Amino acid sequence: QVRLRESGGGSVQSGESLRLSCKVLGDISRTNWVSWFRQRPGKGREGLAALQTSDGSPTYHRTLEGRFTISEDKGVVYFEMRNLKPEDTAIYYCAAVFTGGSLFTKDNYDIWGQGTQVNVSS
């Protein structure tokens, strides 16, 4: 069974960028999708982007503004965030092993990382 380890969070100012990393510990081919979610203060966990590990094709939630990019290289799934805003402040999680249904629903994933905190100040 694979495990996930996120890194790359931190504190930044509005307009800056961050690249989060999700290291897949184990064989990434044993996952089908690896996705990024976030949980803002007082909110539920929301799906942002998903990457199909067989061919690297990305799928983004329809509400994203085009500031985020998901990609994979050598077993690490990256989530690049540009022009960050205070409302992007959240704990960011990666998830793997999609079980069906919506890619952006947290209940549809079997494996989760521990999360990485992102704070954006104005």
Side-chain angles (χ1 to χ4, degrees):
Q1 186 173 358
V2 300
R3 292 180 293 124
L4 306 174
R5 182 178 298 159
E6 301 99 332
S7 61
S11 295
V12 298
Q13 295 189 327
S14 291
E16 294 185 339
S17 300
L18 275 176
R19 189 177 74 163
L20 307 182
S21 300
C22 175
K23 173 68 175 173
V24 180
L25 302 171
D27 186 356
I28 195 170
S29 69
R30 300 190 66 169
T31 67
N32 46 11
W33 292 83
V34 177
S35 301
W36 281 96
F37 286 70
R38 70 181 176 190
Q39 188 158 7
R40 293 187 272 194
K43 304 290 187 182
R45 197 168 296 188
E46 55 181 331
L48 301 170
L51 185 135
Q52 189 166 16
T53 54
S54 61
D55 63 5
S57 58
T59 302
Y60 297 95
H61 193 279
R62 57 181 171 78
T63 62
L64 289 191
E65 303 167 349
R67 298 185 290 120
F68 303 149
T69 302
I70 190 171
S71 61
E72 184 270 335
D73 185 35
K74 298 181 176 65
V76 180
V77 178
Y78 297 100
F79 193 59
E80 183 175 359
M81 305 185 291
R82 299 173 295 278
N83 189 23
L84 283 161
K85 305 175 182 180
E87 53 263 42
D88 295 317
T89 293
I91 302 174
Y92 285 74
Y93 298 90
C94 61
V97 187
F98 172 62
T99 58
S102 169
L103 285 168
F104 304 110
T105 298
K106 63 179 178 62
D107 295 338
N108 297 335
Y109 289 84
D110 279 346
I111 299 172
W112 289 85
Q114 81 287 353
T116 186
Q117 178 73 49
V118 172
N119 296 311
V120 185
S121 58
S122 57

